[in-house]
């Protein structure tokens, strides 16, 4: 049986694994499902149609699964899903989705979410990301695996950030970010490849050099995006497949960049 503090309020319809812990004064609503090993600290509110996986840790004063901050929302039963082994620190706010988009806000696995982070409606966040304090993500944003969001970074609605990108402190982002790119500033500007992050994740020198070559084609060649894509295709056939696949990821991202890319 789940370990529920005497002061917590847990709806009888909520589905909690026997190993779940709910701290003092926390509230869990009727449409909430929480998987094994998850620990909910004190003063946390989990509501809405929210499904949480295993071995997550919620620190105090977070609001999880509340209604989307979108005036078009009209009470539809939209959802929030959270994967496994995530750390969610103090005062975070994660909202459910809207029917105007996917209807679900999602967070993957093994993410480190620091204090005061906001994940708005319909955001899709991958796995192994790091969000530093006060990173703010507007609605409909997509963030790939291994992205790092520095403190006070903020992202405009509908933006996409590719895997392994690094967003610097206090960056204001209004356009899409290809994979592997390091950026900073207000407005945001690209400043090269996230080389240190790639080294830490085991990328080889050849793979990193291939990513740097792709970055130069996109950002330093003077090409239009269409010309850059053609140049990348030509470059990919001349390198080993383990290098080409990362260059291909950058090229294919350009096809999905609906807001244009950060320059």
């Amino acid at each position: 049986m789940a370990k529920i503090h005497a002061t917590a309020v847990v709806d009888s319809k909520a589905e909690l694994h026997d190993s779940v812990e709910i701290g003092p004064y926390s509230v869990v609503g009727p449409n909430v499902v929480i998987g094994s090993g998850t620990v909910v600290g004190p003063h946390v509110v989990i509501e809405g149609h929210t499904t949480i996986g295993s071995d997550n840790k919620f620190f105090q004063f977070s609001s999880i699964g509340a209604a989307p901050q979108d005036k078009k929302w009209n009470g539809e039963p939209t959802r929030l899903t959270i994967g496994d082994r995530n750390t969610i620190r103090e005062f975070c706010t994660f909202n459910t989705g809207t029917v105007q988009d996917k209807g679900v806000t999602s967070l993957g696995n093994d993410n480190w979410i620091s204090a005061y982070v906001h994940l708005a409606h319909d955001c899709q966040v991958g796995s192994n990301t790091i969000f530093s304090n006060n990173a703010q993500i507007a609605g409909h944003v997509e963030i790939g695996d291994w992205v790092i969001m520095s403190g006070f970074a903020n992202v405009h609605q509908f933006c996409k950030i590719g895997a392994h990108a690094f967003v610097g402190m206090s960056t204001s982002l209004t356009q899409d970010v290809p994979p592997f790119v390091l950026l900073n500033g207000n407005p945001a500007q690209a400043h090269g490849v996230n080389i240190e992050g790639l080294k830490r994740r085991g990328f080889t020198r050849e793979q990193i050099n291939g990513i740097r070559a792709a970055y130069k084609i996109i950002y330093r060649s003077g090409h239009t995006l269409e010309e850059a894509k053609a140049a990348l295709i030509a470059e990919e056939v001349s390198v080993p497949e383990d290098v080409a696949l990362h260059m291909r990821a950058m090229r294919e991202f350009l096809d999905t960049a609906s807001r244009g890319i950060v320059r």
Side-chain angles (χ1 to χ4, degrees):
M1 187 173 184
K3 183 179 179 181
I4 302 172
H5 192 273
T7 60
V9 179
V10 178
D11 194 282
S12 61
K13 295 180 182 178
E15 299 180 27
L16 276 57
H17 188 273
D18 289 347
S19 59
V20 167
E21 297 182 22
I22 307 294
Y25 302 102
S26 285
V27 177
V28 179
N31 298 306
V32 174
V33 178
I34 303 179
S36 62
T38 290
V39 177
V40 178
H43 297 278
V44 176
V45 177
I46 305 177
E47 56 185 312
H49 290 76
T50 297
T51 300
I52 298 169
S54 301
D55 299 315
N56 296 284
K57 173 65 174 177
F58 292 85
F59 284 72
Q60 53 269 27
F61 306 115
S62 286
S63 172
I64 308 298
Q69 298 176 49
D70 188 318
K71 293 177 72 174
K72 297 186 297 296
W73 187 73
N74 194 32
E76 300 91 350
T78 52
R79 298 177 293 123
L80 167 69
T81 64
I82 296 173
D84 304 328
R85 299 176 302 279
N86 296 290
T87 297
I88 293 103
R89 296 300 306 239
E90 300 83 355
F91 297 99
C92 289
T93 53
F94 298 175
N95 297 155
T96 56
T98 64
V99 295
Q100 287 76 26
D101 194 355
K102 297 178 177 65
V104 59
T105 304
S106 67
L107 178 71
N109 306 318
D110 301 295
N111 297 287
W112 181 272
I113 311 296
S114 299
Y116 294 95
V117 167
H118 177 59
L119 297 186
H121 56 86
D122 302 292
C123 286
Q124 311 292 308
V125 179
S127 297
N128 296 291
T129 67
I130 296 174
F131 283 62
S132 296
N133 291 353
N134 289 280
Q136 305 290 302
I137 311 302
H140 316 283
V141 167
E142 297 180 18
I143 295 183
D145 297 341
W146 297 101
V147 167
I148 295 178
M149 298 290 301
S150 299
F152 294 91
N154 58 86
V155 183
H156 191 280
Q157 61 185 353
F158 294 103
C159 285
K160 301 181 181 71
I161 302 177
H164 299 279
F166 183 101
V167 181
M169 184 177 68
S170 299
T171 295
S172 182
L173 184 60
T174 60
Q175 292 180 295
D176 297 343
V177 182
F180 312 114
V181 170
L182 184 152
L183 64 148
N184 196 17
N186 186 1
Q189 292 183 321
H191 292 284
V193 171
N194 182 18
I195 293 174
E196 288 304 314
L198 298 182
K199 288 179 180 178
R200 292 171 186 171
R201 294 162 206 151
F203 282 64
T204 66
R205 177 177 295 182
E206 291 75 17
Q207 290 170 332
I208 293 173
N209 285 341
I211 291 167
R212 294 178 70 184
Y215 177 90
K216 289 178 181 178
I217 289 172
I218 296 170
Y219 282 99
R220 299 288 183 258
S221 65
H223 290 324
T224 66
L225 287 185
E226 290 304 316
E227 291 169 341
K229 286 188 282 187
L232 286 169
I233 291 172
E235 187 73 17
E236 289 163 25
V237 300
S238 66
V239 297
E241 177 58 24
D242 68 323
V243 176
L245 67 90
H246 300 304
M247 301 177 76
R248 190 177 306 123
M250 297 183 75
R251 172 174 57 81
E252 291 175 347
F253 183 90
L254 300 181
D255 291 325
T256 70
S258 59
R259 295 186 58 84
I261 64 169
V262 167
R263 303 305 291 181

